[in-house]
Amino acid sequence: MLTPTFWEIHSGLEREGPGDEASLMRALAMTEGLPAEPRILDLGCGPGAQTLSLLKHTAGTVTAVDTHQPFLDDLMSRARDAGVADRVTTSDASMADLPFEDESFDLIWSEGAIYFIGLPEGLAAWRRLLRPGGWIAVTEPCWLKPREALPQGALDNWAEYPAMATVQELEAVPARAGYRLAGSFVLPPAAWEAYYGPMQARVDVVRARHAGDAAALAEVARHQAEIDAYRAFGDCFSYLFLVMQRPA
Ligand SMILES: C[S@@+](CC[C@H](N)C(=O)[O-])C[C@H]1O[C@@H](n2cnc3c(N)ncnc32)[C@H](O)[C@@H]1O
């Protein structure tokens, strides 16, 4: 159950997960032969940082999907400010049950979100939405070291995601789900800073605002622990960008 303080921390942030424009461009450059005006599906779009970058770096249209309507409202407001609102459609739908026709997209994008249904499960379920030869790019949490080398603090930080895999293990998933892996890379520290920098500033404000409120401060402490875990153990985990193609 997400608390009011959770939403106080998470409202109005530019992004809701690690990522940055440079990494998006690196992944996008791997989608060889993408049409000039690709039909893009952005799943778990959040407030839409990557949606806006996709609209900036392609001439395509984006259908942006999330289950949290306030994020979709933020995204549309930013798209209007950027003058690209005519190329975005939002859909308050679940990535587990998508209301789109088979083969209706050239590119599926999903940053920091496929883990809600699992990487193999998401790749299998979304495949029908891509035209043959279409592309899919996702980011997925990954261990940067063998499990036996991971300190307890790193394991504790990801205790709620037991499916977390190593880079090598993740790179084997696309072929099993019927895709060709075109390339992959680990998100750099700058992509984490783009998420945790603004979140730290927000956490500091919310902590000061709720001095003496035990429930609110417990939520603040959970967020602080997550940021601190990255600062302490960021050499043990990250996200892997995987860029894949549905064979023609
Ligand atoms: C970690 S955030 C990442 C958001 C955005 N892609 C980014 O990188 O800033 C995950 C997003 O997935 C959304 N989400 C969670 N479960 C979902 C579902 N079943 N279907 C669609 N979106 C979902 C959340 O509301 C949230 O916006």
Side-chain angles (χ1 to χ4, degrees):
M1 177 64 184
L2 299 175
T3 65
T5 310
F6 176 95
W7 289 115
E8 198 177 340
I9 293 170
H10 284 273
S11 298
L13 293 177
E14 204 169 299
R15 57 172 55 256
E16 282 291 323
D20 59 11
E21 191 166 23
S23 300
L24 176 141
M25 288 171 69
R26 184 173 170 192
L28 191 59
M30 295 177 186
T31 62
E32 266 174 41
L34 200 65
E37 296 182 8
R39 299 159 301 169
I40 303 171
L41 178 64
D42 183 359
L43 295 175
C45 61
Q50 74 292 318
T51 321
L52 294 182
S53 294
L54 288 166
L55 289 161
K56 181 173 160 190
H57 295 290
T58 74
T61 52
V62 179
T63 303
V65 174
D66 206 282
T67 42
H68 187 57
Q69 183 64 42
F71 284 159
L72 298 174
D73 296 341
D74 280 0
L75 190 169
M76 279 314 292
S77 158
R78 289 177 184 145
R80 275 192 293 276
D81 290 347
V84 294
D86 58 325
R87 293 195 284 129
V88 194
T89 309
T90 59
S91 174
D92 184 346
S94 173
M95 63 176 91
D97 184 20
L98 291 164
F100 307 113
E101 299 285 314
D102 287 359
E103 302 185 11
S104 49
F105 295 97
D106 301 300
L107 173 63
I108 296 176
W109 205 268
S110 186
E111 291 196 32
I114 196 170
Y115 66 81
F116 281 105
I117 55 173
L119 180 69
E121 293 81 0
L123 290 180
W126 302 347
R127 192 174 183 277
R128 69 169 186 88
L129 299 169
L130 279 179
R131 67 160 169 81
W135 293 88
I136 176 165
V138 306
T139 62
E140 166 72 5
C142 64
W143 293 123
L144 300 176
K145 297 179 178 179
R147 276 179 193 73
E148 56 278 14
L150 294 169
Q152 195 56 44
L155 292 164
D156 291 347
N157 188 52
W158 289 93
E160 287 176 16
Y161 192 50
M164 181 124 152
T166 62
V167 169
Q168 233 184 354
E169 289 164 350
L170 290 180
E171 286 173 341
V173 173
R176 290 200 296 269
Y179 297 89
R180 179 181 76 82
L181 178 63
S184 66
F185 61 92
V186 172
L187 283 186
W192 286 86
E193 213 41 59
Y195 179 44
Y196 281 148
M199 191 199 284
Q200 181 66 71
R202 181 66 61 80
V203 161
D204 292 342
V205 168
V206 173
R207 180 187 291 113
R209 195 182 286 157
H210 292 286
D213 176 341
L217 292 180
E219 187 66 81
V220 166
R222 277 193 284 277
H223 282 77
Q224 190 63 60
E226 184 188 320
I227 297 170
D228 292 347
Y230 175 71
R231 304 253 177 266
F233 304 112
D235 60 333
C236 296
F237 60 82
S238 187
Y239 276 71
L240 188 69
F241 230 126
L242 293 151
V243 182
M244 298 152 276
Q245 186 172 33
R246 176 177 176 175

